[in-house]
Amino acid sequence: GVGDVSVQARVAGNPCTPKEVLARLSTCEDDAVLHVVAGNPNTPSSALKTLAENARPFIRAAVASNTSTPSNILESFVDVVIDGGVAFSLASNPSTPPHCLVGVVKHLIEEARGERQVDEDTFRKISAREDLPSEAVALMARSRYANVRWIAATNSRLPPNDLTILSNDLLQMISSAIAEDDPIRREVSMTQCG
């Protein structure tokens, strides 16, 4: 019954629940229970591996945010299409290997093609990582999205040549506003520059 699922979810969320019980609960058919099992730091690696392949994005995101998820499982997320929740979870998880963050940045930038905006929160989370490789920051700096470049410009690990490139962004914005004879954009650009 409904009460059983509620109890199972509470047991699944208890960090003292034995690994054997969590392994059994990881085969449950209820998504809410699976989500809680996926986030439990005591869940066995074999169960986390299975849950990482679950069709439900929020269950995969719980695995990606679990600090006890082994690095090989976290790395496996980068090899497949990453949805926004999984990307944010990988960026937030201090256990995510730094080289995986490069893959997440690549994926997010590629997935955003044709979109007008990207998920700034995930890029901010990635940029805040102390162990972020400069390669990931450089990819962000070269993004076609101004908000991603802006986030990269504030990162101390940005390579100097990319800082030079980014410094030209503002100048290009002013030039295009003047060329288009757009007084509002020109005023905003001059205010940002001055």
CSV table of all heavy atoms in Angstrom, one decimal, residues 93-125:
chain,number,residue,atom,x,y,z
A,93,ASN,N,28.6,18.0,-7.2
A,93,ASN,CA,29.2,16.9,-6.4
A,93,ASN,C,30.7,17.1,-6.3
A,93,ASN,O,31.4,17.0,-7.4
A,93,ASN,CB,28.8,15.6,-7.1
A,93,ASN,CG,29.2,14.4,-6.3
A,93,ASN,OD1,30.1,14.5,-5.3
A,93,ASN,ND2,28.7,13.2,-6.6
A,94,PRO,N,31.2,17.3,-5.1
A,94,PRO,CA,32.7,17.5,-5.0
A,94,PRO,C,33.5,16.2,-5.4
A,94,PRO,O,34.7,16.3,-5.6
A,94,PRO,CB,32.9,17.8,-3.5
A,94,PRO,CG,31.6,17.4,-2.8
A,94,PRO,CD,30.5,17.4,-3.9
A,95,SER,N,32.8,15.1,-5.5
A,95,SER,CA,33.4,13.8,-5.8
A,95,SER,C,33.6,13.6,-7.3
A,95,SER,O,34.2,12.7,-7.8
A,95,SER,CB,32.7,12.6,-5.3
A,95,SER,OG,32.6,12.7,-3.9
A,96,THR,N,32.9,14.5,-8.1
A,96,THR,CA,33.0,14.4,-9.6
A,96,THR,C,34.4,14.7,-10.0
A,96,THR,O,35.0,15.8,-9.7
A,96,THR,CB,32.0,15.4,-10.3
A,96,THR,OG1,30.7,15.1,-9.9
A,96,THR,CG2,32.2,15.3,-11.8
A,97,PRO,N,35.1,13.8,-10.7
A,97,PRO,CA,36.5,14.0,-11.1
A,97,PRO,C,36.5,15.3,-12.0
A,97,PRO,O,35.7,15.5,-12.9
A,97,PRO,CB,36.8,12.8,-12.0
A,97,PRO,CG,35.9,11.7,-11.5
A,97,PRO,CD,34.6,12.5,-11.1
A,98,PRO,N,37.5,16.1,-11.8
A,98,PRO,CA,37.7,17.4,-12.6
A,98,PRO,C,37.6,17.2,-14.1
A,98,PRO,O,37.0,18.0,-14.8
A,98,PRO,CB,39.0,17.9,-12.1
A,98,PRO,CG,39.2,17.4,-10.8
A,98,PRO,CD,38.6,16.0,-10.8
A,99,HIS,N,38.2,16.1,-14.6
A,99,HIS,CA,38.2,16.0,-16.1
A,99,HIS,C,36.8,15.7,-16.6
A,99,HIS,O,36.5,16.0,-17.7
A,99,HIS,CB,39.1,14.8,-16.5
A,99,HIS,CG,38.7,13.5,-16.1
A,99,HIS,ND1,39.1,12.9,-14.8
A,99,HIS,CD2,38.0,12.5,-16.7
A,99,HIS,CE1,38.6,11.7,-14.7
A,99,HIS,NE2,37.9,11.5,-15.8
A,100,CYS,N,35.9,15.2,-15.7
A,100,CYS,CA,34.5,15.1,-16.1
A,100,CYS,C,33.8,16.4,-16.4
A,100,CYS,O,32.9,16.5,-17.2
A,100,CYS,CB,33.7,14.3,-15.1
A,100,CYS,SG,34.1,12.6,-15.0
A,101,LEU,N,34.3,17.4,-15.6
A,101,LEU,CA,33.6,18.7,-15.8
A,101,LEU,C,33.9,19.3,-17.2
A,101,LEU,O,33.1,20.0,-17.7
A,101,LEU,CB,34.2,19.7,-14.7
A,101,LEU,CG,33.9,19.2,-13.3
A,101,LEU,CD1,34.6,20.1,-12.3
A,101,LEU,CD2,32.4,19.2,-13.0
A,102,VAL,N,35.0,19.0,-17.7
A,102,VAL,CA,35.3,19.4,-19.1
A,102,VAL,C,34.3,18.8,-20.0
A,102,VAL,O,33.7,19.5,-20.9
A,102,VAL,CB,36.8,19.0,-19.6
A,102,VAL,CG1,37.0,19.3,-21.0
A,102,VAL,CG2,37.8,19.7,-18.7
A,103,GLY,N,34.0,17.5,-19.9
A,103,GLY,CA,33.0,16.9,-20.7
A,103,GLY,C,31.6,17.4,-20.5
A,103,GLY,O,30.8,17.6,-21.4
A,104,VAL,N,31.3,17.8,-19.2
A,104,VAL,CA,30.0,18.4,-19.0
A,104,VAL,C,29.8,19.8,-19.7
A,104,VAL,O,28.8,20.1,-20.3
A,104,VAL,CB,29.7,18.6,-17.4
A,104,VAL,CG1,28.5,19.4,-17.1
A,104,VAL,CG2,29.7,17.2,-16.8
A,105,VAL,N,30.9,20.6,-19.6
A,105,VAL,CA,30.9,21.9,-20.3
A,105,VAL,C,30.7,21.7,-21.8
A,105,VAL,O,29.9,22.3,-22.4
A,105,VAL,CB,32.2,22.7,-20.0
A,105,VAL,CG1,32.3,23.9,-20.9
A,105,VAL,CG2,32.2,23.1,-18.5
A,106,LYS,N,31.5,20.8,-22.4
A,106,LYS,CA,31.3,20.5,-23.8
A,106,LYS,C,29.9,20.1,-24.2
A,106,LYS,O,29.3,20.6,-25.1
A,106,LYS,CB,32.3,19.4,-24.2
A,106,LYS,CG,33.7,19.8,-24.4
A,106,LYS,CD,34.6,18.6,-24.8
A,106,LYS,CE,36.0,18.9,-24.8
A,106,LYS,NZ,36.9,17.8,-25.1
A,107,HIS,N,29.4,19.2,-23.4
A,107,HIS,CA,28.0,18.7,-23.6
A,107,HIS,C,27.0,19.9,-23.5
A,107,HIS,O,26.1,20.0,-24.4
A,107,HIS,CB,27.7,17.6,-22.7
A,107,HIS,CG,26.3,17.1,-22.9
A,107,HIS,ND1,25.9,16.3,-23.9
A,107,HIS,CD2,25.1,17.4,-22.2
A,107,HIS,CE1,24.6,16.1,-23.8
A,107,HIS,NE2,24.1,16.7,-22.8
A,108,LEU,N,27.1,20.6,-22.5
A,108,LEU,CA,26.1,21.7,-22.3
A,108,LEU,C,26.2,22.7,-23.4
A,108,LEU,O,25.1,23.2,-23.9
A,108,LEU,CB,26.3,22.4,-20.9
A,108,LEU,CG,26.0,21.6,-19.7
A,108,LEU,CD1,26.4,22.4,-18.4
A,108,LEU,CD2,24.5,21.3,-19.7
A,109,ILE,N,27.4,23.1,-23.8
A,109,ILE,CA,27.5,24.0,-24.9
A,109,ILE,C,27.0,23.5,-26.2
A,109,ILE,O,26.2,24.1,-27.0
A,109,ILE,CB,29.0,24.5,-25.1
A,109,ILE,CG1,29.3,25.4,-23.9
A,109,ILE,CG2,29.2,25.3,-26.4
A,109,ILE,CD1,30.8,25.8,-23.8
A,110,GLU,N,27.3,22.2,-26.5
A,110,GLU,CA,26.7,21.5,-27.7
A,110,GLU,C,25.2,21.4,-27.7
A,110,GLU,O,24.6,21.6,-28.7
A,110,GLU,CB,27.4,20.2,-27.9
A,110,GLU,CG,28.8,20.2,-28.3
A,110,GLU,CD,29.5,18.9,-28.3
A,110,GLU,OE1,28.8,17.8,-28.2
A,110,GLU,OE2,30.7,18.8,-28.4
A,111,GLU,N,24.7,21.0,-26.5
A,111,GLU,CA,23.2,20.8,-26.4
A,111,GLU,C,22.5,22.2,-26.6
A,111,GLU,O,21.3,22.2,-27.0
A,111,GLU,CB,22.9,20.2,-25.0
A,111,GLU,CG,23.1,18.8,-25.0
A,111,GLU,CD,22.1,18.0,-25.9
A,111,GLU,OE1,20.9,18.2,-25.8
A,111,GLU,OE2,22.6,17.2,-26.7
A,112,ALA,N,23.1,23.3,-26.3
A,112,ALA,CA,22.4,24.5,-26.3
A,112,ALA,C,22.4,25.2,-27.7
A,112,ALA,O,21.8,26.2,-27.9
A,112,ALA,CB,23.1,25.5,-25.3
A,113,ARG,N,23.1,24.5,-28.6
A,113,ARG,CA,23.1,25.1,-30.0
A,113,ARG,C,21.6,25.4,-30.5
A,113,ARG,O,20.8,24.6,-30.3
A,113,ARG,CB,23.7,24.1,-31.0
A,113,ARG,CG,25.2,24.1,-30.8
A,113,ARG,CD,25.8,23.1,-31.8
A,113,ARG,NE,27.2,22.8,-31.3
A,113,ARG,CZ,28.2,22.8,-32.0
A,113,ARG,NH1,28.1,23.1,-33.3
A,113,ARG,NH2,29.4,22.6,-31.5
A,114,GLY,N,21.5,26.6,-31.0
A,114,GLY,CA,20.2,27.0,-31.5
A,114,GLY,C,19.3,27.6,-30.4
A,114,GLY,O,18.3,28.2,-30.7
A,115,GLU,N,19.6,27.4,-29.1
A,115,GLU,CA,18.8,28.0,-28.0
A,115,GLU,C,19.3,29.4,-27.8
A,115,GLU,O,20.4,29.8,-28.1
A,115,GLU,CB,19.0,27.2,-26.8
A,115,GLU,CG,18.6,25.7,-26.9
A,115,GLU,CD,17.1,25.5,-27.0
A,115,GLU,OE1,16.4,26.3,-26.4
A,115,GLU,OE2,16.7,24.6,-27.7
A,116,ARG,N,18.4,30.2,-27.3
A,116,ARG,CA,18.8,31.6,-27.0
A,116,ARG,C,19.5,31.7,-25.7
A,116,ARG,O,20.3,32.6,-25.5
A,116,ARG,CB,17.5,32.5,-27.0
A,116,ARG,CG,16.9,32.5,-28.3
A,116,ARG,CD,15.8,33.5,-28.4
A,116,ARG,NE,16.0,34.2,-29.6
A,116,ARG,CZ,15.6,35.4,-29.8
A,116,ARG,NH1,14.9,36.1,-28.9
A,116,ARG,NH2,15.8,36.0,-31.0
A,117,GLN,N,19.3,30.8,-24.8
A,117,GLN,CA,19.9,30.9,-23.5
A,117,GLN,C,20.4,29.5,-23.0
A,117,GLN,O,19.9,28.5,-23.5
A,117,GLN,CB,19.0,31.5,-22.4
A,117,GLN,CG,18.6,32.9,-22.6
A,117,GLN,CD,17.8,33.4,-21.5
A,117,GLN,OE1,16.9,32.7,-21.0
A,117,GLN,NE2,18.0,34.7,-21.1
A,118,VAL,N,21.3,29.5,-22.0
A,118,VAL,CA,21.8,28.3,-21.5
A,118,VAL,C,21.5,28.3,-20.0
A,118,VAL,O,21.2,29.4,-19.4
A,118,VAL,CB,23.3,28.1,-21.8
A,118,VAL,CG1,23.5,27.8,-23.2
A,118,VAL,CG2,24.1,29.2,-21.2
A,119,ASP,N,21.7,27.2,-19.3
A,119,ASP,CA,21.5,27.1,-17.9
A,119,ASP,C,22.6,27.7,-17.1
A,119,ASP,O,23.6,27.1,-16.9
A,119,ASP,CB,21.3,25.6,-17.5
A,119,ASP,CG,21.1,25.4,-16.1
A,119,ASP,OD1,20.9,26.3,-15.3
A,119,ASP,OD2,21.1,24.2,-15.6
A,120,GLU,N,22.5,29.0,-16.8
A,120,GLU,CA,23.5,29.7,-16.1
A,120,GLU,C,23.9,29.1,-14.7
A,120,GLU,O,25.0,29.1,-14.3
A,120,GLU,CB,23.1,31.1,-15.8
A,120,GLU,CG,23.3,32.0,-17.0
A,120,GLU,CD,23.0,33.5,-16.7
A,120,GLU,OE1,23.5,33.9,-15.6
A,120,GLU,OE2,22.4,34.2,-17.5
A,121,ASP,N,22.9,28.5,-14.0
A,121,ASP,CA,23.1,27.9,-12.7
A,121,ASP,C,24.2,26.8,-12.8
A,121,ASP,O,25.1,26.7,-11.9
A,121,ASP,CB,21.8,27.4,-12.1
A,121,ASP,CG,20.9,28.5,-11.7
A,121,ASP,OD1,21.3,29.7,-11.5
A,121,ASP,OD2,19.7,28.3,-11.6
A,122,THR,N,24.1,26.0,-13.8
A,122,THR,CA,25.0,24.9,-13.9
A,122,THR,C,26.4,25.4,-14.2
A,122,THR,O,27.4,25.0,-13.6
A,122,THR,CB,24.6,23.9,-14.9
A,122,THR,OG1,23.3,23.3,-14.5
A,122,THR,CG2,25.5,22.7,-15.0
A,123,PHE,N,26.5,26.4,-15.1
A,123,PHE,CA,27.8,27.0,-15.5
A,123,PHE,C,28.4,27.7,-14.3
A,123,PHE,O,29.6,27.6,-14.0
A,123,PHE,CB,27.7,27.9,-16.7
A,123,PHE,CG,27.6,27.2,-18.0
A,123,PHE,CD1,26.4,27.1,-18.7
A,123,PHE,CD2,28.8,26.6,-18.5
A,123,PHE,CE1,26.4,26.4,-19.9
A,123,PHE,CE2,28.7,25.9,-19.7
A,123,PHE,CZ,27.5,25.8,-20.4
A,124,ARG,N,27.6,28.3,-13.5
A,124,ARG,CA,28.1,29.0,-12.2
A,124,ARG,C,28.6,27.9,-11.2
A,124,ARG,O,29.7,28.1,-10.6
A,124,ARG,CB,27.0,29.8,-11.6
A,124,ARG,CG,26.7,31.1,-12.2
A,124,ARG,CD,25.6,31.9,-11.4
A,124,ARG,NE,24.9,32.8,-12.3
A,124,ARG,CZ,25.4,33.9,-12.7
A,124,ARG,NH1,26.6,34.3,-12.4
A,124,ARG,NH2,24.6,34.7,-13.5
A,125,LYS,N,27.9,26.8,-11.1
A,125,LYS,CA,28.3,25.7,-10.2
A,125,LYS,C,29.7,25.2,-10.7
A,125,LYS,O,30.6,25.0,-9.9
A,125,LYS,CB,27.3,24.6,-10.2
A,125,LYS,CG,26.4,24.4,-9.1
A,125,LYS,CD,27.0,24.5,-7.7
A,125,LYS,CE,25.9,24.4,-6.8
A,125,LYS,NZ,26.2,24.7,-5.4
